[in-house]
Amino acid sequence: MAVRLVILGPPGAGKGTQAERFARGRGVPRISTGDILREAVQAGTELGRASKALMDAGQLVSDEIVFGIVRERVVRPDANEGFVLDGFPRTVTQARLLDSVLKGAPPLVVVNIEIPESALVERLTTRRICANCGWNAVTGLTACARCGGPLVQRKDDGVEVVKERLRVYARETEPLVEFYESRPTFRCVDGDQTPDAVAADLAAAVASVGGVPA
Ligand code: AMP
């Protein structure tokens, strides 16, 4: 059964890791606005040029730009059976725009990954991604397990930018919990566990919404 899943949570909560696992398991695309924007920056497109400075500073790209990306992506054929949104929506305006584009579709399942703020700075400033394919590296590896590429720190994972991203999250994105929490398809999971345990809780949370086997 199609599942249209939004994974919410602060930077460093494990949204990317969990979104990728869940999407792979269900055979649906993971749609990460952060990945799409980073690819655009690397490719030097107009979108990338418009976004780079904001991303490097830990600020949000405009609602119009990111909604334009998502609106076009969710109607592609590979998203017919569902999708996992990772890093979108990030503002209440984006959430309203998403509702408007999905009007008439089965309701979104929204899962908030909860994690104490004290764990986030350490997680973000020590994480590494693959310079070639963007894979989120598991701690302790020296090369990408997927393509063998070199592991690097994300440009916005330095300590000062991380602190700004957490401030932006608290101001712009945390209000989304209130926006969604009264819906019957909203769930929370504890993100302060091993990735396997979070994945199990996420699957159970989605299943508990009904009609979707874990
Ligand atoms: P992420 O990989 O999700 O942490 O996103 C990295 C950066 O891309 C963010 O800090 C923002 O600058 C930008 N970005 C990604 N998704 C969005 C969004 N939904 N709204 C605004 N900016 C975004």
Side-chain angles (χ1 to χ4, degrees):
M1 178 173 280
V3 57
R4 293 176 179 80
L5 175 64
V6 168
I7 300 188
L8 291 182
K15 295 189 298 295
T17 303
Q18 295 300 331
E20 189 173 300
R21 276 177 80 146
F22 188 93
R24 202 180 334 115
R26 300 294 172 107
V28 298
R30 160 184 174 239
I31 302 174
S32 157
T33 43
D35 276 4
I36 293 169
L37 290 167
R38 273 185 293 278
E39 280 164 22
V41 169
Q42 248 187 344
T45 63
E46 194 181 323
L47 172 65
R49 285 197 302 276
S51 311
K52 184 179 187 316
L54 289 163
M55 293 173 75
D56 286 351
Q59 303 296 326
L60 295 185
V61 173
S62 78
D63 291 334
E64 291 70 30
I65 285 184
V66 286
F67 178 62
I69 294 172
V70 170
R71 184 179 45 196
E72 183 267 326
R73 185 65 189 84
V74 295
V75 297
R76 285 202 217 152
D78 68 336
N80 269 347
E81 288 306 308
F83 51 75
V84 181
L85 280 171
D86 162 16
F88 182 94
R90 253 182 165 93
T91 66
V92 171
T93 301
Q94 291 175 19
R96 292 210 167 98
L97 290 166
L98 180 63
D99 281 345
S100 73
V101 82
L102 296 178
K103 229 175 13 214
L108 283 171
V109 178
V110 182
V111 176
N112 186 34
I113 302 184
E114 295 180 306
I115 182 149
E117 194 179 324
S118 56
L120 295 175
V121 175
E122 162 82 11
R123 274 192 183 200
L124 287 163
T125 55
T126 58
R127 78 176 172 182
R128 297 292 181 269
I129 62 164
C130 174
N132 286 344
C133 73
W135 183 70
N136 262 313
V138 178
T139 313
L141 290 183
T142 50
C144 175
R146 212 161 63 172
C147 76
L151 300 179
V152 295
Q153 184 173 51
R154 252 172 66 167
K155 204 157 180 187
D156 58 353
D157 274 347
V159 67
E160 288 313 316
V161 178
V162 159
K163 287 184 179 158
E164 180 59 15
R165 286 165 62 204
L166 292 174
R167 280 192 290 270
V168 169
Y169 168 79
R171 192 177 64 227
E172 306 283 350
T173 309
E174 214 170 11
L176 282 178
V177 174
E178 207 177 308
F179 179 82
Y180 284 124
E181 70 187 351
S182 61
R183 298 187 183 186
T185 53
F186 177 84
R187 297 287 184 277
C188 289
V189 301
D190 176 8
D192 201 8
Q193 318 180 71
T194 63
D196 284 349
V198 178
D201 285 359
L202 174 65
V206 173
S208 75
V209 168
V212 188

